[in-house]
Amino acid sequence: MKIVVGQGSCGIASGAKKTSAEFEKQLKAHGLSAELTITGCVGTCYLEPIVDIYDDNGGMTRYVKVQPDKVEKIVEEHVMGGNAVQEYAISEEDKKFVTGQQRIVLRNCGVINPENIDEYIAKDGYKALEKVLTTMKPEQVIDEIKASGLRGRGGAGFPTWFKWNAAKASPGTEKYMVCNADEGDPGAFMDRSVLEGDPHTVLEGMAIAGYAMGAHQGVIYCRAEYPLAIKRLEIAMDQAREKGYLGKDLFGTGFDFDIYIKAGAGAFVCGEETALIASLEGERGMPRLKPPFPAAKGFWQKPTDINNVETLANVPWIIHNGGAQFASFGTPKSPGTKVFALAGKIKKGGLVEVPMGMSINDIIYNIGGGIKNDKQFKAVQMGGPSGGCIPASYGDTPVTYEDITKIGAIVGSGGMIVMDEDTCMVDMARYFLNFTRDESCGKCNYCRIGTKRLLEILTRITEGEGKDGDIELLEELASKVMQGSMCGLGQTAPNPVLSTIRHFRNEYEDHIYNHRCTAHSCKALINFSINENCKGCTLCARNCPVGAISGSVRQMHVIDQTKCIKCSKCLDNCKFNAIDKI
């Protein structure tokens, strides 16, 4: 019998290490010899800590939300008695979260121990690398990737084979293969989960890419805020070197390829290729004009290919199963699968991998379980700060690069932040502009100053000080920032503003002309009052932190608007529906 405790960052944050320690304690106390091991995130982050128990016949029972106090019963009834504890087991409804997916990138996440290379090898690990090195020429590898239709999963969706071929065609014997693991979008955790749960698939993908383009050195640029991902990558690289999958003379073919990690300082702009390269070289992470493109002059002015984590994680599967098989998923122009991080006002937050072309509604409702507290679905932000807000009315839109771009957003790296009726779209735009303003490297005037001015206007509007003409000014400034900025950060920073104006212009008008926040979210534009349902229980007054509520016991209370800080404590504590939020 094998007991597997999910120990991705989400599981650990939920208490998985304590759960694992309790299993170890209970097994020792009962003199049991069951194997206790770990795995990465299976994607159902909302159910962590997760424990899978495999019997000797290969059957598996999954337990969810396993805190230490549940362990003793599981050990006594299941491990010792052979009877699953059904009250702790995953429900049939929650099983759909995983069974409704098509997992290629996430095929091993939550299944294997990421710190044990033998478990990766047992899942056909490194067979794709052996295949390309012993039976294929670099041109054939590129042709296979071309046949798959794989496009970059980091944002722009550029054809992967084209970048490899461009780097291969560039003259020189010193070339570099770089993995961009600088995942910085708010609400995005796709790359982190892959690196924590299946690091070897990324290493194998990098080695295959290196062979195809003629590079012998790989670099993983990973943000330092991902310490667990870096730790498991280092373990994986050491194990791969011991097995001969990294280093000199791989598979006896004479091909050398090795990898090292560069920890980034967490600058969002370093997700842009040339800024990333500058950071790798020890310079300040700032972009430069293109051309020349990195494929011609990149790291140390040598031909360089840069792919993100998810793109590279697809490569071994494609080589092993064939490009045509990968292309059979998704749509003709957007083939394959895509990993999305579901966050925000959604019932089942976590990671999903689905074929491209699935509709937004299918992802949110059929896999994500719908909106928290069954509230109304209002919009989804796709593509992070570089993307746009898509209203619920476009919920039937297929998630493809082309279709999402048509409605004013981008697929991006795969973040999906779901919003309900209580979300103010003006404030959402302000939030993302605040992020991009802070993350601007400052090299371009349009980006450095333009994002600041956009943020000032949005802040003014959310504080009830909007003026006639602000909407038009936002549109004009946004257009100039997009046109005048050098890199993708500035060129896409206005997207949340423009998309919310495009789809939710009425909310901007309400803020400016009616001094009202439709979602009752902006503090400066809301008021709390007490209605006739008040029973005089004094709960609201006792919980008001500033003493803004007065009234006698069993008498209707009153809120002093000059003192009220709009903290919602009265609303949260009232049991009689006597507080109005207007």
Side-chain angles (χ1 to χ4, degrees), residues 90-151:
I90 189 170
S91 68
E92 291 300 317
E93 180 64 29
D94 286 324
K95 285 180 182 178
K96 295 177 184 177
F97 186 93
V98 175
T99 58
Q101 302 178 36
Q102 179 63 52
R103 293 165 75 90
I104 292 177
V105 172
L106 303 180
R107 62 193 178 278
N108 294 325
C109 292
V111 177
I112 68 171
N113 181 345
E115 298 181 11
N116 186 341
I117 191 172
D118 292 330
E119 293 196 19
Y120 180 69
I121 292 171
K123 294 288 185 180
D124 296 326
Y126 291 105
K127 284 188 176 180
L129 178 59
E130 182 180 15
K131 178 180 178 180
V132 301
L133 293 181
T134 59
T135 68
M136 299 174 74
K137 296 179 180 179
E139 295 82 3
Q140 292 175 304
V141 179
I142 292 173
D143 286 343
E144 197 67 53
I145 299 300
K146 184 177 182 180
S148 74
L150 177 65
R151 298 171 64 171

Side-chain angles (χ1 to χ4, degrees), residues 328-348:
S328 68
F329 301 111
T331 68
K333 290 185 178 180
S334 296
T337 62
K338 181 74 189 78
V339 180
F340 292 99
L342 295 180
K345 305 294 185 67
I346 193 161
K347 289 181 179 178
K348 301 178 182 180

Side-chain angles (χ1 to χ4, degrees), residues 360-396:
I360 295 170
N361 280 341
D362 280 342
I363 295 172
I364 291 175
Y365 286 99
N366 295 342
I367 295 179
I371 310 303
K372 275 184 180 179
N373 303 317
D374 294 319
K375 290 197 173 185
Q376 185 178 346
F377 171 37
K378 186 173 187 177
V380 59
Q381 172 78 12
M382 288 191 65
S386 304
C389 286
I390 301 172
S393 57
Y394 286 86
D396 291 330

Side-chain angles (χ1 to χ4, degrees), residues 66-99:
V66 184
Q67 296 298 335
D69 60 349
K70 296 181 178 179
V71 172
E72 184 176 5
K73 186 172 184 178
I74 293 173
V75 169
E76 291 179 351
E77 295 189 15
H78 188 159
V79 181
M80 297 175 64
N83 297 312
V85 185
Q86 294 299 332
E87 62 188 291
Y88 299 161
I90 189 170
S91 68
E92 291 300 317
E93 180 64 29
D94 286 324
K95 285 180 182 178
K96 295 177 184 177
F97 186 93
V98 175
T99 58

Side-chain angles (χ1 to χ4, degrees), residues 299-322:
F299 188 35
W300 300 125
Q301 297 298 299
K302 304 297 182 182
T304 303
D305 176 71
I306 303 176
N307 294 122
N308 90 316
V309 170
E310 185 181 341
T311 306
L312 292 165
N314 277 296
V315 171
W317 191 96
I318 291 171
I319 296 298
H320 190 69
N321 295 277

Side-chain angles (χ1 to χ4, degrees), residues 545-580:
V546 292
I549 302 176
S550 59
S552 303
V553 178
R554 296 192 180 89
Q555 298 295 319
M556 187 172 175
H557 282 46
V558 177
I559 298 176
D560 184 343
Q561 298 297 335
T562 62
K563 294 182 180 179
C564 179
I565 60 172
K566 301 167 185 179
C567 64
S568 295
K569 288 286 186 180
C570 55
L571 182 65
D572 296 338
N573 285 278
C574 182
K575 298 180 179 180
F576 302 103
N577 197 29
I579 308 293
D580 291 327

